[in-house]
Amino acid sequence: GIDTDKHKYPIGSGIVTFNNVQSYSKAVRAAFIEIKTPKFKKKVQVDPYLADSLCQLCGMHLGPYFCRDENCFKYFCLSCWQLTHPVDAHGGHKPIMRNSKLRTQRTLSHVI
């Protein structure tokens, strides 16, 4: 589905429903997929739907940080994120949060 404004004009986002977990996981890990049709070819960014979830490491705190890297692919609370993603080690792992990227960067910059 393509999200539209009140005038039915596309706003640049949409929803994709997958029929199996493997396809969903592959698309989210890739982060970008190319859609090819006879009329157009478009590269789109695929982010997972982020739900309110407990940390999948400790299971005790809310896990607002999601790591899309295939070695993680889990929700983490702030403490577990810091524990498993030290600044000098997992340099390529960037958390995804339900809120805007700006908030993610601000929150992590205070931590680091």
Side-chain angles (χ1 to χ4, degrees), residues 32-89:
F32 290 91
I33 58 173
E34 192 168 71
I35 299 171
K36 294 179 185 177
T37 73
K39 294 185 178 185
F40 69 89
K41 181 169 81 170
K42 180 80 175 167
K43 190 175 189 177
V44 296
Q45 182 174 359
V46 178
D47 283 329
Y49 171 78
L50 298 179
D52 290 332
S53 176
L54 285 178
C55 174
Q56 291 176 287
L57 195 61
C58 71
M60 297 186 315
H61 304 288
L62 237 132
Y65 300 100
F66 180 81
C67 185
R68 78 171 346 133
D69 186 274
E70 65 184 274
N71 295 317
C72 297
F73 211 69
K74 293 180 184 149
Y75 290 96
F76 295 91
C77 65
L78 180 58
S79 299
C80 290
W81 177 268
Q82 291 173 324
L83 180 69
T84 58
H85 296 82
V87 177
D88 56 341

Side-chain angles (χ1 to χ4, degrees), residues 1-15 42 44:
I2 297 175
D3 295 334
T4 59
D5 65 13
K6 66 181 180 179
H7 304 289
K8 304 288 185 206
Y9 188 80
I11 59 172
S13 64
I15 297 171
K42 180 80 175 167
V44 296

